[in-house]
Amino acid sequence: MSEIPARATESARATEPARVTASEGAPGGGRAAGGDALPGGRTPADRGETLPGDAMWQSSPPGSIYDYIKVASFSIGPDGLVDQWSVRAEQLFGIPAHRALGVDPIDVFIDPDLRERGQRKMAEILDGREWTGVVPFRIPHGEGGECGRRGLAEVYVMPTRTRDGEKAAVCVVVDVRTLRSIETDLAASQSIFGQSPFGFLLIDTDLKVRRVNRRFASVFGGSPDDHHGRGVHDYLPRAEADRITATLRRVLETGESITDMHVTGFVPGSEERRHWSVNMYRVHSGSGRPIGVAWVGTDITARREAAREAAAARRNLALLNDAGARIGTSLDLETTARELLDVVVPGFCDLATVDLYQGLLTGDEAPHGLVDGSAELRRVAYASAVADVPFLGTGQRVQVGAVHHYPFTSPCADALRTARPRTVPAEEGGLVQSTLAVPMVAHDTVVGLAQFARTKGSEPFGDRDRSLAVELAARAAVCIDNARLYRREHERALILQRSLLPPGDPEASGLDIACRYLPGNAATGRPSEVGGDWFDVIELPGHRTALVVGDVMGRGLRAAVAMGELRTAVRTLAQLDLEPAEVLAQLDEIARGLGAPGGPSQASAVGVQQATRAARRPREADLSEVYLATCVYAVYDSVTRRCTFANAGHLPPVLVEPGESALMLDVPPGLPLGVGGEPFEEVEVELPEGALLALYTDGLVESRDHPLDEGLRAFVGALADPARPAPRAATHRDLEDVCDHVLNTLDSHHGEDDIALLMARVQGLPAESVGDWALPREPRSVGRAREYARERLTAWDLEPLVDTTELLVSELVTNALRYGEGEIRLRLLLDRSLVCEVWDSGLVQPRRRRARDTDEGGRGLQLVGLLSAAWGSRRTPRGKTVWFELPLPGGDTGLPDPAEALLSLF
């Protein structure tokens, strides 16, 4: 009688549940399959598979469905009492077997209000009826039977008989809460797997597809069942599949998850490359046994394309930013072209060239062929990130600096004609696969052509690349056009500036002159900028020389124009034979009027008084129109070897006496020209024979890297070096070499600003070349003056000049007796010409007038003007001096005949 309950107990433990079929109504309506059952209730037999006989009887591994559902069983004897109690029943109800055996399950587990109904069901069961239902139960808590935990149980009662034929029952019980939780989990799992917008795969331990969702099947075709049993190589290219297979094995072995792994492949029926982001993680059973790898894939093709587009946009913006910072740092055409290529190679292309119109480079505003693209071009820059890959612009290699032109039908010529970029076909068999010919357009004018090329292996140019190339070429074109305009204006300004400087090597009486002028940046190799430095050597009457060095503050064309105006004013004032301090005072007034409307730009033409009046006119308050300048003005007398200096804010002159150290002369600097308000002082210095005098501008001794004091010390040291030998050696040293020595020594101190250097070695008139006599105020002095002149000219072997000199000396001495005052002095000076001076203490200047035919006098000064090369008068501290100059015999200038000159007066 105990056979059936015993078998029921055994089935509750392991075997019997595996034999229950669907027709027997398993709890929960599911199939109680063994270890060969698949998720979803499908068996190998359901799939039409044939398994070995032993597989049908193998034990279920740990983690089977029963471990999750927790199925318990117990049996009821013919008396309605529990006669068998399984271990699972102990776990489910929490009551050990010794307490459960022999009890009435209705009285123990059912609430009192439901016991009557339970007794009827128990009678029906013992009567042989099968029953399934949900029963609320309670679990007694202790020996007293007090109520403990409550629950719901789904009970499946199967009637049976004992060995003696008595009716009994086997009960299979499932905890409804656990069952409902499993049902919910399965439903949620199915929903997540089936409704996921991502490709979802379950790959087993053999790396075969176990299950896929609809999203994956919709991408790779077929139904989800069609992908069962496939491998990674069925979906991806071989190299990519090998990489993924190795990754799957690593996930299975280590359990390490893979996040955002990028996979590349193709989908059926499309040649478009697709990209996926894949996450992988190992999946375990309830007991922790690895059962496969879950694969979640997301199509990121659009995202990668967007990221690629964003990266390209960032790269292009970076290129444009780099171009803005690096292109146009110089006003040199070739440098600007090279800066463009430095930006684009290799960041944008592999090779690049820049061709500019030859006519525009040479200053031609409208070269022939500019409109139709046939004009000659010069290759000014070339760059390559690949060795030996030239551009064949005209069918042959074009070297940098070569002048060439493109055939009329070529894409490059078309780009120049239309001002639009063109694609140049790749040469067959060459390394270049994509070339853009981009015209360089500035201010609606094509100035040249830029070519950008990419070699095989690089991505061909696209529309975005074309737009970027046009922008880069346009930026460079504007800078190149600015550099071209600057070069043109700069050359004009330099021509103007050089025209204002003394031509050739200036000459002066009693001085050996050497000078240098270097535009700013000439020493550094950068384009020079026009400045306001100037120097001048002006010959004055009486074998005197005015030495001038000045510097207009600021740079550019305006500074050069202001320098020209001041230089012209200096020459005009010098011809008036004013004292150095008075010359600077007048210059100061002129400089103050340069920035005012109607300023004294015509000072040289209208005279100093008109210039001074214009300087006093109301000026605009714009400080940018104020012109400031520094200047040193010195007058050297070769007879006395004395030099008078006046300084307007300029650096002091440097004097090197033979055998002595160089020293800076203590000349009061005064205020710069244009400031006004303070008088200028004069300093007179006697210069010994062979002394070296240097006037200069601050560009020689001052720079950003060297303070002024250091530069001055270096300059003084450079001047003292060549003069340290014996005086004889110093006098024989070429003054040009001294200038070169100074510039070479101070090479590290200059180059940023203009440099003007004026050097003079003193060579005074010897005593035998000077005749000086005092004449009393009496009529006999006229004849005596003629005798002095005749004797001295005879001693100088100047007999051809005797008659003319006697006649003119007689006229000047006569005027001094008639119109002058005090003692009369006669002086003859012989140097490169003959100069005669007559001095008296009267202040009234002689005035030349035209005598009428009936006048007996008034023709003396006319005669002096006819017979002399030059004449004039000047004020002195104690009177005036009237002078004339005659050229020496044998020169290019001949003297008129005195007799003819006299007859021409009547």
Side-chain angles (χ1 to χ4, degrees), residues 840-858:
D840 69 84
S841 57
L843 299 178
V844 179
Q845 297 286 332
R847 182 172 63 87
R848 181 178 177 180
R849 65 183 179 86
R850 178 170 292 280
R852 291 173 295 182
D853 293 342
T854 57
D855 291 343
E856 296 182 358

Side-chain angles (χ1 to χ4, degrees), residues 326-343 354 356 361 380-381 476 479-480 483 487 525-527:
R326 298 174 60 184
I327 299 177
T329 60
S330 170
L331 288 174
D332 180 73
L333 292 169
E334 289 77 7
T335 300
T336 303
R338 287 193 297 269
E339 289 172 345
L340 169 62
L341 302 193
D342 290 340
V343 170
V354 174
L356 300 180
L361 292 175
V380 296
C479 296
I480 287 175
R487 175 181 289 184
R526 298 191 298 269

Side-chain angles (χ1 to χ4, degrees), residues 50-395:
T50 303
L51 296 178
D54 293 341
M56 295 293 293
W57 298 98
Q58 66 181 6
S59 300
S60 299
S64 67
I65 189 66
Y66 298 103
D67 290 330
Y68 291 102
I69 299 178
K70 299 185 183 298
V71 178
S73 65
F74 61 91
S75 63
I76 300 176
D79 55 0
L81 301 179
V82 176
D83 63 356
Q84 294 288 338
W85 191 255
S86 67
V87 175
R88 283 286 180 87
E90 292 183 2
Q91 295 173 354
L92 176 63
F93 294 100
I95 298 176
H98 71 275
R99 290 181 53 196
L101 292 175
V103 299
D104 186 347
I106 302 301
D107 292 338
V108 176
F109 298 106
I110 303 300
D111 286 334
D113 55 345
L114 297 177
R115 288 176 182 172
E116 182 179 355
R117 184 179 177 184
Q119 293 293 343
R120 290 198 303 269
K121 287 293 181 183
M122 178 62 69
E124 294 176 358
I125 292 170
L126 294 177
D127 194 31
R129 294 187 58 183
E130 184 177 295
W131 180 78
T132 301
V134 178
V135 178
F137 67 91
R138 63 188 181 91
I139 300 175
H141 193 63
E143 298 292 339
E146 63 273 18
C147 183
R149 182 170 59 85
R150 293 179 178 273
L152 285 175
E154 184 172 323
V155 181
Y156 175 33
V157 182
M158 295 176 289
T160 185
R161 290 183 183 275
T162 65
R163 181 176 299 177
D164 296 333
E166 293 180 286
K167 295 180 178 180
V170 174
C171 299
V172 178
V173 183
V174 177
D175 189 343
V176 172
R177 290 175 304 176
T178 302
L179 186 61
R180 296 295 179 262
S181 176
I182 292 174
E183 290 176 348
T184 302
D185 291 344
L186 287 174
S189 176
Q190 182 65 26
S191 298
I192 293 174
F193 192 87
Q195 300 174 19
S196 172
F198 312 116
F200 211 141
L201 296 84
L202 182 62
I203 300 175
D204 61 21
T205 55
D206 295 328
L207 303 187
K208 298 296 182 180
V209 174
R210 189 76 172 180
R211 188 177 182 187
V212 302
N213 67 346
R214 291 189 181 90
R215 174 61 179 170
F216 183 86
S218 66
V219 174
F220 286 91
S223 66
D225 290 339
D226 295 335
H227 296 271
H228 184 82
R230 293 183 181 179
V232 178
H233 287 79
D234 295 322
Y235 302 100
L236 299 174
R238 182 177 183 83
E240 191 77 340
D242 291 343
R243 182 174 69 94
I244 299 303
T245 300
T247 304
L248 288 171
R249 288 198 178 97
R250 187 170 68 252
V251 172
L252 277 174
E253 292 172 0
T254 65
E256 295 179 358
S257 300
I258 300 297
T259 303
D260 195 25
M261 180 180 182
H262 287 193
V263 179
T264 303
F266 301 89
V267 298
S270 174
E271 297 295 329
E272 179 187 2
R273 186 180 296 273
R274 306 292 291 272
H275 303 275
W276 293 276
S277 173
V278 175
N279 297 326
M280 303 180 192
Y281 57 92
R282 190 169 68 182
V283 180
H284 305 83
S285 67
S287 62
R289 178 177 58 87
I291 61 175
V293 175
W295 169 306
V296 181
T298 305
D299 192 331
I300 60 171
T301 304
R303 189 175 75 188
R304 279 179 60 95
E305 185 63 25
R308 183 179 177 184
E309 296 286 332
R314 286 194 298 270
R315 183 183 68 249
N316 293 350
L317 287 176
L319 273 174
L320 290 175
N321 182 64
D322 194 23
R326 298 174 60 184
I327 299 177
T329 60
S330 170
L331 288 174
D332 180 73
L333 292 169
E334 289 77 7
T335 300
T336 303
R338 287 193 297 269
E339 289 172 345
L340 169 62
L341 302 193
D342 290 340
V343 170
V344 300
V345 177
F348 177 69
C349 59
D350 300 317
L351 302 95
T353 63
V354 174
D355 298 321
L356 300 180
Y357 278 118
Q358 173 72 359
L360 296 178
L361 292 175
T362 56
D364 190 356
E365 291 298 324
H368 177 70
L370 186 61
V371 176
D372 61 11
S374 62
E376 290 185 334
L377 297 105
R378 184 198 305 171
R379 180 146 297 176
V380 296
Y382 166 76
S384 173
V386 184
D388 294 330
V389 183
F391 271 119
L392 303 180
T394 56

Side-chain angles (χ1 to χ4, degrees), residues 387-445:
D388 294 330
V389 183
F391 271 119
L392 303 180
T394 56
Q396 58 184 358
R397 179 177 297 193
V398 179
Q399 302 293 339
V400 174
V403 177
H404 66 101
H405 72 276
Y406 292 105
F408 186 81
T409 58
S410 66
C412 293
D414 186 60
L416 291 170
R417 285 193 301 272
T418 62
R420 296 179 180 276
R422 292 290 182 264
T423 300
V424 181
E427 299 176 7
E428 186 176 353
L431 291 178
V432 175
Q433 71 157 344
S434 182
T435 302
L436 283 178
V438 184
M440 305 181 71
V441 184
H443 311 298
D444 297 328
T445 301

